[in-house]
Amino acid sequence: MAPKPTGVDDAPGLTPDGLIRDPGDPVETTRLGITLRGLRRLRRRLEDHFGGPEAFRSVSTADVNFKWVRPVTADRACRLLEAREEVAAEDVAPPAYFISHAWKNSLALLLDYLDSFLAAAADTIAVWIDILAVNQHEKTQQQKHDIGAFSDVVAACGAGTIVVLDIANCNPSTRGWCIFEWAHTLSAHGPDGLHVALTPADRAVVVNTLDVTKAECQFPADKDMILQVVSRQHGSTDTFNHKLRLQLLLEPLSYNVDMRRLLRRAAAAGTCWAFSPVAEWLAEPRATAPRVLCVAAGAGEGKSTISAALCAAAAASQSETAAATATAAAQELPPLPQLPAGGVSAYHFLKYNDQRRLDPVNIIKSLAFQLAMRIPSVRDNLLGQDAAQVAQLTDAGKAFKQLLLQPLKQHEEALQAAKSAAEARAQKAAKEAADAKATAAAAAAKAQAAKATAAEVAAVLRSEAGGGDAGGGDGGSGGGAVGVEAAANAAASTEAGAAAAAAAAEVAAASAATEAAAAAQAFEKLHLVLLLDALDEADPLSEQLQLQREQAAQLQPSRPQGTAAATAAAAVPQAGGANRPSGSGATAVPAAAATATSAPAPVYPTACSNSALQLLTGWLRRLPTWVRFVVTTRPDAASGQVLPSLERTFKPHGGVRLLRPHQLVAAPASTSRGGGDSSSESDAAGGQGSSTAAKDAASAQDSGGTVPDGGSGGGGGSVMVYATVAAGCLPPGSPAASLAAPSLPDLYRLYGSIFDDAWRRLESDAVRREVQDLLGVVLAAQEPLSHSLLQQMGLGHVIPSLPGYPHLFYVDEHHLYTIHKSLADWMAGGSINAGGGGAQVVAATDEGTAAVATEQAQQEHFARPDVLAAHLRLGTALAAARHTAAAAPPYLIKYLIHHLAAAAGSDAAGSINGEPSPSGGAVGDGPERVPAGVDLAAALLDEVLADFKFLELALARSRGPAIAESLGSMRRHTALSNDVLRWLSAHMQALQANPKSALESAQANCPLTSRLYRAAVAAAGTPWVPRLVVPFRPPASDWPAMTARLRDPVHPDCTVRAVAWSPDCRQVAVGGLLADVQVYDSVTCRLLATMEGHMECIQALDWSRDGRLIMSGAQDKTVRWFDVVTGQCVGAKAGHTGYVEAVAFHPTSTACASACNRGVVLVWEQPAVATTPGTQTQFKQLLGARGGCTDLAFSPDGAMLAAAHAAGVHVYSGRPPYERLRVLMYNMSPAQYSGLGFSQDSRFVAVARLHDDTVHVLDTKRSWHDVAHLTGRTKPGSYVAFSGSSTKVAAGDDTGVVYVYDIAQLYDFPPDGSNPLKSDPASLASLPSPPMSSLARADSPVDSGPPSVAASSPRSSCDGEEPPAPALPPEPITMPPMTTFHEHKRDEGTWRLLWLPVPGTEILASCGRDGTACAYDMALLPGDGLAGVVSYEGGLEVPPPARSYLHDKAHQPYMTALGVSPDGCWVATCASDNHVVITRTGTWERAAVLPAGREVLVSAAWSPDGRWLACGNAKDELRIFGVKDGGACWAEMRMLRGHRCLFWQLPNRGPLVLAAACLDRTIRMYHVSASPHASPAGWEQLPQTLGSPELFPGYISCMAASPDSSVLAVGVFGFAVHFFDGAEPYAHRGSVSLYGKEPMSAAMDDLAWLPPASGSSSSSGGTGSAGPGGSGASAAAAVRLRLAATGNFDEAFVFEMLTEDEAREQQQQDQAPAQELARATADTGEGEHGIAAPRAESAAKVAPPPPPKPTAPPPVVMRQQFEVKGHSAGVSALAVSPDSRWIATGSRDKSIRLWDAGTGQQVGVTLSGLHDGWVLGLRFAPDGSALYSISHDGKLGVLVPAARLLQAAQLPE
């Protein structure tokens, strides 16, 4: 019998490949996936078949199907994966991923995408691809089965669906099968299972075009099947389209995992719910009911379980929770009580370890999605928005307004409109019914009257008929009777019609009334409830850990016998005690842990750090009042401010109703665990009440209360997760599983037992290492990691080996989760009893087995995971995929740098967690970090930080602040991390506004000596880069002392008048004209909080010493106190009569002070915070003075309070009763004092006066004598401040400059008396302290003037005697500033200055009128007085002269002209100070400073031999400088006429002449002789003069001689360039216009010839070569001369000089018919500024000169080659490199750009930041070694080839 073909089965059975094949199995295809290894093998076969890799890239999936798959499977009519000669059996496996793609796209693209997405996954991971796993033969039954099983395949691929996109080629939203696959993925796996990378633009395309009814399918039958399935599953195609479009638009988060796990946990515990309190709250009238229902309880008491139950109870009318309800029903869970209409409408579950859940924008999008699925009008509103704009939303306020507030308000308005319209219709119908009824009544009356008339007529007729003539009267009387009867009948008919109309009108009115009532009822019942679970999870992790440590410290002492802990210890065998010190019991705690938790370091709160609370209180509260909220939280969340914050926010709307968990649980009849009746415990707990936050907080820590899901009620306040863990991980009947009230330590011991047991069960050390690695990755992760990412990291297969899997760890919706936050806390080792080896609850029960278990436990214990190694592993895996970031998960963009910074930046000497290892911990606490790992992490981090494409992508996703925060937390920096941190901190707001400018910003704003600058140079590819700037000072030489620049992103120019530091230096509060207090992160420059309350400009701020309050004073005459944690105003007082100018907290007490411009000084005994209702904050008004008070300060020791009044400085006692002690500097004039400050040791006081540029320093230890004068300010300033070290004083002035003075010498008193103070420490200590007696009664009138000098003599506080007269004060020391900061805009004065009030620190903050607040760190200030040559990293050596300005900076000159000597050794610069400075380029020493008249110099030119320097000024004075008699001194040799000049070596061995352009519009030429004094022929003027006023339309602005000297180009006003011949008689050879016309007001700025290419020839006919090599031009073009020219506008032009033949052709074209010329003119478009610009490919219009003489040279014909354009302002300077490769342009936009001289394309990035003013001159060194630039800022820039800089930066190993 012949063997059966491989891969073909006729009947079910075992096939040769070992797999079950059943042709009749309809879902067999669900098991057919191809491994990644098999895909790679298959690709090689396909490439060979289709002609190689390049040809294969253009082959579509459809082509592969028809041209290869079908032919190779035709003989067997099977699937490709069943053809063993094509796909090996080992490469077929059940698929993990479903691949969604369009058949029109390239198959190579699909394979490349999968390779990148699954780069780190094992090659055995299988994927399902339809072309491989579906039978492609239409007539087979197998194909019908395969197509019908698509939904089963999607569900079977547990890792989800990978979508391969190529929207440019084929939009997948237009393909029926793609939509079908996406829909089934979302249905089976949720949004986390759909792996699709869409840019905002692509997302908009997909959302806008998605319509399953219009989607295309290859076969009509497929389309019919898809529509039938969609209609069956979703009800209609419209519903399907809406849901899928909303999913793609909003990207909502999935909560199915939370719902399933929490409901399952409650069901396992037998929880019975009693939601009557919630139902009652929902039923209350909206006007009186509290708007918020808050369930407050401690950690682990079931808050999230209650939230899940509430959502499930309200699921009857909510399609989005139907899945959770169905799951609960399938598991036979107890039925949930139904909530009334208006139950939970949308919900969100917060998780501390999932940053996606904490992002306010994600919360808003998820809530909006759920509401859109309920409310059609909201859905329509959202689907009508711009999908690309929605995808890029990062601001919570904008997202809230756009996605929630606006749609809900429109919904309300629509219902209101419907109600109004229905009422109007009802009123109209009622009116019409009334009118119809009246009409019917009138008709009835009329009919009745007609009937009566008819009866009367009939009676009359009968009477007449009886007595009259019958013959004559019968006819007439009969006719009248008939008419009357007809009228009566008509009236009756009208009556009937009117009655019918009235009845119809009544029906219509009734219907309209019913409709109006329904509309009114719908509007009245308008009600939504939003649920936010676990607000406490949004607290910063540092604050949560601080709270955890505090709680652990409270729980530390051992419990007495009889408690739950003792019960657990007695029930657990001692096998687990091997990890503890000898002799310790089961409840013992390591000593190191106790020590660690006894004195936790203070953690200062971060402003508005709880993002969820801020979202609720700041934005969601603004929703319509018919939107109500249910929240759950710990009472101690937000530093204990969560409940007060909610109460303050919602007090105008009924406040907050608090519930405890036990109020929502029905007490069962009997317990399900523990065997005891707990009803009494429940009753006792219920009696405690729950109305205040204090009781809630207490109940969270004691044993009162009831476990909400414990079935029996258990012990109050117990940890409910203990029962879940015990039920899942302990054997049945274990004693430890029945603890009555387990506590947090009990739970930690349980974790230790489970982990130790699992650790021993692992089969090998290799598996243990993998488990340890995975646990470390779980701890290091910032979000629950996706299963696909773990597979990419090679850890996916380790998940089943995790301890306690699938109970402690579980995979759901493709992510790995932990059961509870406490598990991560325990694994991190930061909790009590953190070591492994707790009570071994899984040990044997008999003593012998227990002994064996104990011995094993002593040998093997769970090893703590190395979190830092996990950070490195995560970072390494993510970094490898960053080049395909578009295909990588979003996790990569968000956290790559975070993980690498954590691994590289921790202290290498510490343990795995960066802290000392605890003693007494588990054996083998994990491997310590090795230096090699640190170095690897550092190198990888630097590699990522140097990847500017990745940085741009991260900045575009608003990750800049997070990156800065990660880098700022590093304990040790890498080569680039500190540079990147400094760069981001200083320019964060600009980078976030324009992420694509990252590379340019780094190159422009980093010091030229920094490594980040060199990395930017390497990445940019700019051929020339700045290397030096003269003067070489910060920020060019070093990072400046300024570490942060803070500016409001919306109002960047709004004046900032006040600034305050937080105690931890991480936050800065600013205030000003915006009237809001803004708090910024001083490291990331991120706006943390905006605190509203003031109505006018804020004048003063101060931060409390505990970091919890900010005090402010404003022009609205109020003082306010803001809570830092919540950002809410918690107190406000209006005790002042004028602007509040100063506020201050007392340093050692609760007091605080404020002062106003009316002189009133108030001292508050404590902040006026509304804590207890009815309490009033007491304050005292101090004795004031005439004039306002502008500043006040407490001395740091709290003994004094000083206030700066207009008439002097008043000093008060710093303690009650705050008596005035003295008045300082009262008699000095002018007497207007504006600022003061105390040194940190309270010894010195610095005082500034409003109209005085001197700051006075007073010594309190020398009777307040004036001991120093701080001078140097050019203008007076208002405020001063002392540093934390007490040795620095900062003062500002009205020009925006900050001056810093070093007063350390005031503390230095040598015994030899050399100090001007004439004192020593001993005599200083012996001086009496200032007398503490008042000068006047404290209750004197506020505006009473200061006492007279005679009356102000202080009296002794002891005996009332006069103190001895103090000695005469010494002469004050005059001190200049040690440094100045110019970070604020010039002439925009500074306001407040404040040093960080921490002793020993020198960190300063300043604010100014320019809208910025700047932070400075004096430790980063470069040292002054550097002597000798300074060597920098990278090979740069800077001599001392290079650190000074070339010109005298005192006159603030700007550069005007630049010249470089032919040998490159000298640079000549001209400036507005009318001097010429000649500088040697090697040493930067000034060789000469030469005066050059009284007019501005405009040109400088060197002679070819370097002997002469010609400089012209605006007065037409041309000075010649040289060296006399071969000496070394430069001097002026001669003065000629001219303002623009150049040395011109005439061709054919002609003379050297000096061409001088004069103001009379002519060019004079002077013969350059050997000596300027040779007479009479020396420097004589030649008889020929070039040009004339008739020829030149404007003044001459620039000149340039061609490289072969054959042509002189002259640029004149009017954008014209004229050409003159280089041979006598120097004939005019034509002109060219840049813009086609010659406006008189526009000047030519610069000209430069491109030198001929090497080896080419040139001639006077214009055939010289100047083309760059490799440009691809023809041989003729390669030898052409080219000229670069620029005018006033933002472009430069390059012209090429035509050959004689080309010129002749051009002349023939000029003689073309007129219509041809008109057509050419019509093709010319209008350029900027209304100037006609020629087409780039057309020849420039040449104005031919008058007909030349027969001997004259031919005219020059120029043709525009290209234009270079890119500057944002006019190009003002231009230069061409000597090798003619590069064109450099400088602009009024302060930047320099490099262009390829062959193509005109910009090369590299724009060079900005080198100059602070217009770039006015560019010159290359003749040898091509440097490019020099000058600017308005008075600086000289030196640029070098980038390759040379990078080569010089190579450091030795």
Side-chain angles (χ1 to χ4, degrees), residues 270-628:
T271 306
C272 296
W273 302 104
F275 288 155
S276 56
V278 180
E280 293 171 1
W281 173 70
L282 291 172
E284 292 183 35
R286 185 193 311 168
T288 58
R291 196 176 177 191
V292 176
L293 180 69
C294 178
V295 180
E301 293 191 34
K303 301 181 296 296
S304 296
T305 307
I306 291 174
S307 296
L310 286 173
C311 295
S317 60
Q318 300 181 35
S319 59
E320 63 269 24
T321 56
T325 306
T327 301
Q331 296 175 350
E332 298 182 355
L333 300 182
L336 294 171
Q338 292 295 317
L339 294 177
V344 178
S345 309
Y347 49 85
H348 178 77
F349 290 79
L350 292 138
K351 285 187 178 296
Y352 82 101
N353 62 345
D354 190 345
Q355 296 298 319
R356 300 171 303 169
R357 299 284 189 98
L358 305 180
D359 183 5
V361 175
N362 284 344
I363 298 175
I364 291 170
K365 287 184 175 181
S366 300
L367 295 175
F369 172 78
Q370 296 174 62
L371 294 178
M373 295 304 298
R374 290 174 54 89
I375 307 174
S377 62
V378 174
R379 175 199 66 205
D380 295 340
N381 181 287
L382 293 176
L383 291 178
Q385 297 189 16
D386 183 358
Q389 195 269 340
V390 171
Q392 298 179 79
L393 283 174
T394 57
D395 181 76
K398 292 181 180 179
F400 165 76
K401 294 175 183 177
Q402 183 173 336
L403 303 181
L404 283 180
L405 183 61
Q406 176 187 347
L408 289 178
K409 280 193 171 182
Q410 287 188 0
H411 176 61
E412 180 183 22
E413 292 170 358
L415 290 181
Q416 178 67 51
K419 175 187 173 184
S420 301
E423 290 176 347
R425 288 193 298 270
Q427 292 176 359
K428 181 179 179 181
K431 184 176 183 301
E432 291 175 351
D435 294 342
K437 188 176 181 180
T439 302
K446 186 176 181 181
Q448 188 67 27
K451 187 176 181 181
T453 302
E456 292 176 358
V457 170
V460 171
L461 291 177
R462 284 195 300 271
S463 64
E464 290 178 353
D469 184 2
D474 286 343
S477 60
V482 172
V484 172
E485 186 176 357
N489 292 336
S493 177
T494 302
E495 176 189 10
E506 288 182 1
V507 171
S511 177
T514 302
E515 181 184 350
Q521 186 178 15
F523 183 77
E524 293 298 327
K525 289 185 176 181
L526 187 59
H527 187 76
L528 292 176
V529 175
L530 306 183
L531 184 145
L532 297 179
D533 176 67
L535 292 180
D536 51 278
E537 297 273 338
D539 280 347
L541 187 58
S542 59
E543 296 180 14
Q544 294 189 47
L545 293 177
Q546 172 76 0
L547 178 62
Q548 177 188 336
R549 286 192 293 266
E550 294 174 356
Q551 293 176 346
Q554 295 175 3
L555 295 172
Q556 184 62 37
S558 299
R559 297 188 181 186
Q561 293 294 328
T563 63
T567 303
V572 175
Q574 295 301 313
N579 231 17
R580 306 179 184 278
S582 177
S584 61
T587 59
V589 179
T595 304
T597 58
S598 59
V603 176
Y604 295 102
T606 302
C608 299
S609 55
N610 190 308
S611 57
L613 181 62
Q614 291 305 307
L615 176 64
L616 176 59
T617 60
W619 295 110
L620 296 182
R621 67 176 178 85
R622 305 185 187 189
L623 290 173
T625 55
W626 44 269
V627 180
R628 302 164 75 180

Side-chain angles (χ1 to χ4, degrees), residues 1533-1557:
M1533 298 299 186
R1534 186 161 184 164
M1535 183 187 298
L1536 306 174
R1537 184 177 179 184
H1539 65 286
R1540 303 282 180 179
C1541 60
L1542 64 80
F1543 286 91
W1544 186 11
Q1545 181 69 60
L1546 298 181
N1548 301 323
R1549 298 183 179 180
L1552 175 66
V1553 299
L1554 176 65

Side-chain angles (χ1 to χ4, degrees), residues 755 758-759 762 765-778 795 798-803 862-863 865:
F755 271 67
W759 195 253
L762 296 177
D765 291 339
V767 176
R768 292 190 181 96
R769 283 193 297 270
E770 288 181 332
V771 169
Q772 188 183 36
D773 290 344
L774 180 54
L775 290 174
V777 166
V778 171
L795 294 174
V798 187
I799 294 177
S801 301
L802 290 174
F862 165 65

Side-chain angles (χ1 to χ4, degrees), residues 780 782 871 891 894-903 959 962 966:
Q782 298 299 293
H871 280 296
Y891 192 94
K894 294 196 282 188
Y895 304 116
L896 168 58
I897 292 179
H898 167 81
H899 289 302
L900 291 177
R959 298 300 300 173
S966 297

